[in-house]
Amino acid sequence: MNEKIEYLPFGRPNFSSEEIDAVTRVMKSGWIGMGPETIAFEQELCVFLNVSNVVTVNSCTSALELSLLVSGIGPGDEVICPSLTWCSTANASLYLGAKPVFCDVDLKSLCITEQNIIEKITEKTKAVVVVHFGGYAIDVVSLRAKLPPEIVIIEDAAHAIGSRYLDGTPVGSSGNLTCFSFYANKNLSTGEGGAIALPNQEVADRLRSLRQHGLVSDAWKRFTHPKSILTAELMELGYKMNYNDLQASLGRVQLRRQGEFHQRRLDIAKLYCDELAGQEFGLSFQDDVLSEDHARHLFVVMLPLEHLNIDRNDFVIALRDRNVGAAIHYAPLHSMKFYRDLHDQPSLENTERLYEKILTLPISASMTIEQAKYVVSQFNSLIQECYK
């Protein structure tokens, strides 16, 4: 399969005629804001995640900020999080005046460990944001047992809808505030959007108010109930972070198709693990990437650079020249100027080692097996050319 194909991005959503029909139905309904579709989507997510409350918001970034806010995080507090993540994980703390404290990750799982976290705890530590990187589910039960009870655990599950903990229960059902993303390239995509899963009804009600300016009633109720109060009561300073029914109509269909999507990602990952060259001299993948409990939002490869005459960046560029949309997830946050300017950042050995050699290969529910075979052929050809 050496003939070039159309450029293949690392993650492309899978939309069928069913999603198009759902959006059309909502557009014809006369209401496209937050309303009955959003409520239905939240309820269906509760069933899928085995949790009593889900609150949708406009992004996972908002979900993280609101989760920290309702957990009492504010100025002067420290929040531990990995450096190998998207900037939202850290910025959610900064929005509230708190300080993100970066910690290292494990070389195989690419996730933070209990020991990484414990080493960073100070008297100012109020929360830990754990990231289920790529869809690998961290053992939050074990982590909870090792942390002081006053330290809150927030789960960044932007990559992890469909992932399962060690006991087989869905990520989102742990009892921690758990934040999901429905961004364009995610396993469940509604273009933009996010959600918070949690067991506590009182906290969920507060989150629903905060996403709508701090009002006690939402726009849908005011639109559909003539006897509702004409001017809603403002309870606290809130935000404009709500979801809407156009997105929710997409999400409801995408949720029903998660089994189909999960199988396609697994099939592609199996092909990659079976056929990518270079494993005999050190090419490796994230731990448990073929487990049924892994969501496989990302398929991460660690290049054996000691055996190659090319660096990681040039390898990624060469793959892109062959129309394979490889990507890098992520540049370490602690090495970025913005965070260095906030305060001194310590060296994080594993994160820095990983960053030099990680890349992400295309994987999505919209990919065909033939496209995955093309990725394999181009990767194998390139790594053989670069072998020294």
Side-chain angles (χ1 to χ4, degrees), residues 214-243:
L215 298 170
V216 294
S217 65
D218 60 47
W220 167 246
K221 289 179 181 176
R222 296 194 300 276
F223 181 78
T224 57
H225 293 76
K227 293 184 180 179
S228 66
I229 55 175
L230 298 179
T231 55
E233 183 71 21
L234 194 68
M235 301 300 291
E236 62 178 313
L237 179 65
Y239 303 86
K240 187 68 171 75
M241 293 179 170
N242 62 284
Y243 205 58

mmCIF file of all heavy atoms in Angstrom, residues 214-243:
data_model
loop_
_atom_site.group_PDB
_atom_site.id
_atom_site.type_symbol
_atom_site.label_atom_id
_atom_site.label_comp_id
_atom_site.label_asym_id
_atom_site.label_seq_id
_atom_site.Cartn_x
_atom_site.Cartn_y
_atom_site.Cartn_z
ATOM 1 N N GLY A 214 -25.539 31.460 37.242
ATOM 2 C CA GLY A 214 -25.914 31.407 38.646
ATOM 3 C C GLY A 214 -27.409 31.555 38.862
ATOM 4 O O GLY A 214 -27.863 31.791 39.985
ATOM 5 N N LEU A 215 -28.192 31.394 37.786
ATOM 6 C CA LEU A 215 -29.651 31.502 37.876
ATOM 7 C C LEU A 215 -30.247 30.222 38.456
ATOM 8 O O LEU A 215 -29.694 29.134 38.326
ATOM 9 C CB LEU A 215 -30.246 31.763 36.487
ATOM 10 C CG LEU A 215 -29.818 33.068 35.806
ATOM 11 C CD1 LEU A 215 -30.281 33.099 34.362
ATOM 12 C CD2 LEU A 215 -30.371 34.266 36.572
ATOM 13 N N VAL A 216 -31.430 30.379 39.050
ATOM 14 C CA VAL A 216 -32.073 29.219 39.671
ATOM 15 C C VAL A 216 -32.946 28.450 38.691
ATOM 16 O O VAL A 216 -33.370 27.343 38.979
ATOM 17 C CB VAL A 216 -32.911 29.631 40.894
ATOM 18 C CG1 VAL A 216 -32.012 30.167 42.000
ATOM 19 C CG2 VAL A 216 -33.981 30.652 40.522
ATOM 20 N N SER A 217 -33.271 29.019 37.540
ATOM 21 C CA SER A 217 -34.051 28.300 36.538
ATOM 22 C C SER A 217 -33.405 28.496 35.177
ATOM 23 O O SER A 217 -32.786 29.523 34.919
ATOM 24 C CB SER A 217 -35.502 28.783 36.505
ATOM 25 O OG SER A 217 -35.581 30.115 36.077
ATOM 26 N N ASP A 218 -33.549 27.489 34.304
ATOM 27 C CA ASP A 218 -32.871 27.581 33.019
ATOM 28 C C ASP A 218 -33.769 28.185 31.944
ATOM 29 O O ASP A 218 -34.971 28.356 32.113
ATOM 30 C CB ASP A 218 -32.342 26.211 32.588
ATOM 31 C CG ASP A 218 -33.433 25.166 32.441
ATOM 32 O OD1 ASP A 218 -34.459 25.469 31.809
ATOM 33 O OD2 ASP A 218 -33.250 24.047 32.943
ATOM 34 N N ALA A 219 -33.160 28.510 30.825
ATOM 35 C CA ALA A 219 -33.865 29.190 29.735
ATOM 36 C C ALA A 219 -35.003 28.343 29.176
ATOM 37 O O ALA A 219 -36.052 28.875 28.782
ATOM 38 C CB ALA A 219 -32.869 29.535 28.626
ATOM 39 N N TRP A 220 -34.823 27.030 29.135
ATOM 40 C CA TRP A 220 -35.861 26.150 28.590
ATOM 41 C C TRP A 220 -37.148 26.255 29.414
ATOM 42 O O TRP A 220 -38.247 26.364 28.872
ATOM 43 C CB TRP A 220 -35.346 24.718 28.551
ATOM 44 C CG TRP A 220 -36.403 23.682 28.312
ATOM 45 C CD1 TRP A 220 -36.825 22.710 29.168
ATOM 46 C CD2 TRP A 220 -37.187 23.510 27.120
ATOM 47 N NE1 TRP A 220 -37.809 21.960 28.586
ATOM 48 C CE2 TRP A 220 -38.049 22.416 27.336
ATOM 49 C CE3 TRP A 220 -37.234 24.186 25.898
ATOM 50 C CZ2 TRP A 220 -38.950 21.980 26.370
ATOM 51 C CZ3 TRP A 220 -38.134 23.746 24.935
ATOM 52 C CH2 TRP A 220 -38.975 22.658 25.180
ATOM 53 N N LYS A 221 -37.018 26.242 30.743
ATOM 54 C CA LYS A 221 -38.208 26.343 31.594
ATOM 55 C C LYS A 221 -38.887 27.691 31.409
ATOM 56 O O LYS A 221 -40.117 27.781 31.368
ATOM 57 C CB LYS A 221 -37.825 26.125 33.060
ATOM 58 C CG LYS A 221 -37.440 24.685 33.375
ATOM 59 C CD LYS A 221 -37.045 24.534 34.837
ATOM 60 C CE LYS A 221 -36.641 23.104 35.139
ATOM 61 N NZ LYS A 221 -36.168 22.938 36.535
ATOM 62 N N ARG A 222 -38.111 28.754 31.293
ATOM 63 C CA ARG A 222 -38.709 30.074 31.114
ATOM 64 C C ARG A 222 -39.400 30.180 29.757
ATOM 65 O O ARG A 222 -40.392 30.888 29.598
ATOM 66 C CB ARG A 222 -37.628 31.164 31.254
ATOM 67 C CG ARG A 222 -37.008 31.221 32.641
ATOM 68 C CD ARG A 222 -36.209 32.507 32.848
ATOM 69 N NE ARG A 222 -35.116 32.660 31.910
ATOM 70 C CZ ARG A 222 -33.914 32.121 32.069
ATOM 71 N NH1 ARG A 222 -33.662 31.373 33.126
ATOM 72 N NH2 ARG A 222 -32.964 32.319 31.177
ATOM 73 N N PHE A 223 -38.883 29.452 28.757
ATOM 74 C CA PHE A 223 -39.441 29.495 27.403
ATOM 75 C C PHE A 223 -40.740 28.692 27.309
ATOM 76 O O PHE A 223 -41.665 29.062 26.582
ATOM 77 C CB PHE A 223 -38.411 28.939 26.417
ATOM 78 C CG PHE A 223 -38.853 28.941 24.980
ATOM 79 C CD1 PHE A 223 -38.831 30.105 24.228
ATOM 80 C CD2 PHE A 223 -39.283 27.773 24.365
ATOM 81 C CE1 PHE A 223 -39.228 30.108 22.898
ATOM 82 C CE2 PHE A 223 -39.680 27.764 23.038
ATOM 83 C CZ PHE A 223 -39.657 28.940 22.302
ATOM 84 N N THR A 224 -40.800 27.577 28.030
ATOM 85 C CA THR A 224 -41.910 26.630 27.842
ATOM 86 C C THR A 224 -42.994 26.712 28.906
ATOM 87 O O THR A 224 -44.069 26.141 28.730
ATOM 88 C CB THR A 224 -41.373 25.193 27.823
ATOM 89 O OG1 THR A 224 -40.651 24.933 29.042
ATOM 90 C CG2 THR A 224 -40.460 24.969 26.638
ATOM 91 N N HIS A 225 -42.740 27.386 30.025
ATOM 92 C CA HIS A 225 -43.720 27.436 31.103
ATOM 93 C C HIS A 225 -44.176 28.884 31.316
ATOM 94 O O HIS A 225 -43.472 29.667 31.967
ATOM 95 C CB HIS A 225 -43.133 26.877 32.404
ATOM 96 C CG HIS A 225 -42.845 25.407 32.336
ATOM 97 N ND1 HIS A 225 -41.758 24.912 31.667
ATOM 98 C CD2 HIS A 225 -43.514 24.338 32.840
ATOM 99 C CE1 HIS A 225 -41.763 23.581 31.771
ATOM 100 N NE2 HIS A 225 -42.826 23.218 32.472
ATOM 101 N N PRO A 226 -45.343 29.253 30.781
ATOM 102 C CA PRO A 226 -45.812 30.632 30.865
ATOM 103 C C PRO A 226 -45.948 31.147 32.295
ATOM 104 O O PRO A 226 -45.830 32.343 32.539
ATOM 105 C CB PRO A 226 -47.178 30.579 30.175
ATOM 106 C CG PRO A 226 -47.105 29.387 29.285
ATOM 107 C CD PRO A 226 -46.255 28.403 30.004
ATOM 108 N N LYS A 227 -46.179 30.240 33.243
ATOM 109 C CA LYS A 227 -46.395 30.672 34.620
ATOM 110 C C LYS A 227 -45.087 30.727 35.424
ATOM 111 O O LYS A 227 -45.110 31.021 36.608
ATOM 112 C CB LYS A 227 -47.387 29.738 35.309
ATOM 113 C CG LYS A 227 -48.794 29.824 34.721
ATOM 114 C CD LYS A 227 -49.767 28.949 35.484
ATOM 115 C CE LYS A 227 -51.181 29.044 34.891
ATOM 116 N NZ LYS A 227 -52.147 28.190 35.607
ATOM 117 N N SER A 228 -43.990 30.397 34.776
ATOM 118 C CA SER A 228 -42.712 30.491 35.485
ATOM 119 C C SER A 228 -42.391 31.960 35.740
ATOM 120 O O SER A 228 -42.906 32.856 35.069
ATOM 121 C CB SER A 228 -41.584 29.848 34.672
ATOM 122 O OG SER A 228 -41.359 30.574 33.486
ATOM 123 N N ILE A 229 -41.527 32.208 36.722
ATOM 124 C CA ILE A 229 -41.211 33.587 37.072
ATOM 125 C C ILE A 229 -40.603 34.292 35.864
ATOM 126 O O ILE A 229 -39.845 33.710 35.097
ATOM 127 C CB ILE A 229 -40.263 33.641 38.285
ATOM 128 C CG1 ILE A 229 -38.996 32.809 38.048
ATOM 129 C CG2 ILE A 229 -40.962 33.202 39.538
ATOM 130 C CD1 ILE A 229 -37.978 32.931 39.153
ATOM 131 N N LEU A 230 -40.957 35.547 35.681
ATOM 132 C CA LEU A 230 -40.501 36.283 34.507
ATOM 133 C C LEU A 230 -39.054 36.703 34.624
ATOM 134 O O LEU A 230 -38.350 36.826 33.630
ATOM 135 C CB LEU A 230 -41.396 37.510 34.302
ATOM 136 C CG LEU A 230 -42.871 37.193 34.030
ATOM 137 C CD1 LEU A 230 -43.651 38.484 33.871
ATOM 138 C CD2 LEU A 230 -43.020 36.331 32.788
ATOM 139 N N THR A 231 -38.599 36.951 35.832
ATOM 140 C CA THR A 231 -37.192 37.295 36.051
ATOM 141 C C THR A 231 -36.603 36.306 37.044
ATOM 142 O O THR A 231 -37.030 36.268 38.198
ATOM 143 C CB THR A 231 -37.056 38.727 36.597
ATOM 144 O OG1 THR A 231 -37.850 38.868 37.778
ATOM 145 C CG2 THR A 231 -37.512 39.734 35.556
ATOM 146 N N ALA A 232 -35.655 35.507 36.603
ATOM 147 C CA ALA A 232 -35.083 34.468 37.450
ATOM 148 C C ALA A 232 -34.184 35.077 38.519
ATOM 149 O O ALA A 232 -33.564 36.119 38.316
ATOM 150 C CB ALA A 232 -34.291 33.485 36.600
ATOM 151 N N GLU A 233 -34.104 34.399 39.650
ATOM 152 C CA GLU A 233 -33.293 34.854 40.776
ATOM 153 C C GLU A 233 -31.830 34.473 40.551
ATOM 154 O O GLU A 233 -31.525 33.343 40.171
ATOM 155 C CB GLU A 233 -33.797 34.213 42.073
ATOM 156 C CG GLU A 233 -33.082 34.667 43.326
ATOM 157 C CD GLU A 233 -33.403 36.101 43.725
ATOM 158 O OE1 GLU A 233 -34.450 36.607 43.286
ATOM 159 O OE2 GLU A 233 -32.612 36.705 44.462
ATOM 160 N N LEU A 234 -30.942 35.434 40.780
ATOM 161 C CA LEU A 234 -29.509 35.175 40.677
ATOM 162 C C LEU A 234 -28.992 34.807 42.058
ATOM 163 O O LEU A 234 -29.098 35.592 43.002
ATOM 164 C CB LEU A 234 -28.788 36.419 40.149
ATOM 165 C CG LEU A 234 -27.355 36.234 39.666
ATOM 166 C CD1 LEU A 234 -27.330 35.379 38.408
ATOM 167 C CD2 LEU A 234 -26.706 37.579 39.391
ATOM 168 N N MET A 235 -28.413 33.602 42.184
ATOM 169 C CA MET A 235 -27.990 33.098 43.485
ATOM 170 C C MET A 235 -26.516 33.382 43.786
ATOM 171 O O MET A 235 -26.135 33.589 44.934
ATOM 172 C CB MET A 235 -28.239 31.590 43.561
ATOM 173 C CG MET A 235 -29.698 31.197 43.366
ATOM 174 S SD MET A 235 -30.794 31.932 44.607
ATOM 175 C CE MET A 235 -30.279 31.042 46.072
ATOM 176 N N GLU A 236 -25.670 33.364 42.764
ATOM 177 C CA GLU A 236 -24.240 33.627 42.929
ATOM 178 C C GLU A 236 -23.668 33.988 41.569
ATOM 179 O O GLU A 236 -24.341 33.846 40.543
ATOM 180 C CB GLU A 236 -23.508 32.419 43.522
ATOM 181 C CG GLU A 236 -23.545 31.170 42.665
ATOM 182 C CD GLU A 236 -22.755 30.010 43.267
ATOM 183 O OE1 GLU A 236 -21.605 30.243 43.696
ATOM 184 O OE2 GLU A 236 -23.295 28.887 43.296
ATOM 185 N N LEU A 237 -22.432 34.448 41.559
ATOM 186 C CA LEU A 237 -21.769 34.765 40.299
ATOM 187 C C LEU A 237 -21.554 33.474 39.517
ATOM 188 O O LEU A 237 -20.863 32.570 39.967
ATOM 189 C CB LEU A 237 -20.430 35.449 40.557
ATOM 190 C CG LEU A 237 -19.619 35.826 39.306
ATOM 191 C CD1 LEU A 237 -20.362 36.875 38.483
ATOM 192 C CD2 LEU A 237 -18.233 36.332 39.706
ATOM 193 N N GLY A 238 -22.173 33.395 38.351
ATOM 194 C CA GLY A 238 -22.049 32.202 37.534
ATOM 195 C C GLY A 238 -21.363 32.486 36.221
ATOM 196 O O GLY A 238 -20.691 33.511 36.047
ATOM 197 N N TYR A 239 -21.551 31.586 35.263
ATOM 198 C CA TYR A 239 -20.834 31.640 33.990
ATOM 199 C C TYR A 239 -21.792 31.322 32.841
ATOM 200 O O TYR A 239 -22.902 30.842 33.054
ATOM 201 C CB TYR A 239 -19.690 30.615 33.979
ATOM 202 C CG TYR A 239 -18.718 30.790 35.111
ATOM 203 C CD1 TYR A 239 -18.964 30.206 36.360
ATOM 204 C CD2 TYR A 239 -17.559 31.544 34.954
ATOM 205 C CE1 TYR A 239 -18.070 30.373 37.416
ATOM 206 C CE2 TYR A 239 -16.659 31.714 36.003
ATOM 207 C CZ TYR A 239 -16.924 31.126 37.231
ATOM 208 O OH TYR A 239 -16.048 31.291 38.276
ATOM 209 N N LYS A 240 -21.358 31.592 31.641
ATOM 210 C CA LYS A 240 -22.114 31.180 30.456
ATOM 211 C C LYS A 240 -21.402 29.960 29.887
ATOM 212 O O LYS A 240 -20.528 30.065 29.031
ATOM 213 C CB LYS A 240 -22.147 32.323 29.431
ATOM 214 C CG LYS A 240 -23.067 32.019 28.237
ATOM 215 C CD LYS A 240 -24.532 31.982 28.657
ATOM 216 C CE LYS A 240 -25.476 31.904 27.457
ATOM 217 N NZ LYS A 240 -25.518 30.574 26.833
ATOM 218 N N MET A 241 -21.781 28.802 30.389
ATOM 219 C CA MET A 241 -21.075 27.564 30.055
ATOM 220 C C MET A 241 -22.032 26.436 29.687
ATOM 221 O O MET A 241 -21.692 25.256 29.798
ATOM 222 C CB MET A 241 -20.197 27.113 31.231
ATOM 223 C CG MET A 241 -19.032 28.030 31.553
ATOM 224 S SD MET A 241 -18.088 27.415 32.976
ATOM 225 C CE MET A 241 -16.643 28.484 32.942
ATOM 226 N N ASN A 242 -23.239 26.794 29.254
ATOM 227 C CA ASN A 242 -24.226 25.749 29.015
ATOM 228 C C ASN A 242 -24.020 25.016 27.697
ATOM 229 O O ASN A 242 -23.371 25.503 26.778
ATOM 230 C CB ASN A 242 -25.636 26.344 29.042
ATOM 231 C CG ASN A 242 -25.843 27.374 27.949
ATOM 232 O OD1 ASN A 242 -25.360 28.490 28.057
ATOM 233 N ND2 ASN A 242 -26.538 26.993 26.884
ATOM 234 N N TYR A 243 -24.580 23.861 27.619
ATOM 235 C CA TYR A 243 -24.653 23.017 26.425
ATOM 236 C C TYR A 243 -25.899 23.420 25.656
ATOM 237 O O TYR A 243 -26.697 24.252 26.123
ATOM 238 C CB TYR A 243 -24.743 21.571 26.899
ATOM 239 C CG TYR A 243 -24.265 20.499 25.965
ATOM 240 C CD1 TYR A 243 -22.964 20.488 25.468
ATOM 241 C CD2 TYR A 243 -25.108 19.432 25.622
ATOM 242 C CE1 TYR A 243 -22.523 19.460 24.652
ATOM 243 C CE2 TYR A 243 -24.668 18.403 24.815
ATOM 244 C CZ TYR A 243 -23.376 18.426 24.327
ATOM 245 O OH TYR A 243 -22.938 17.407 23.520
#
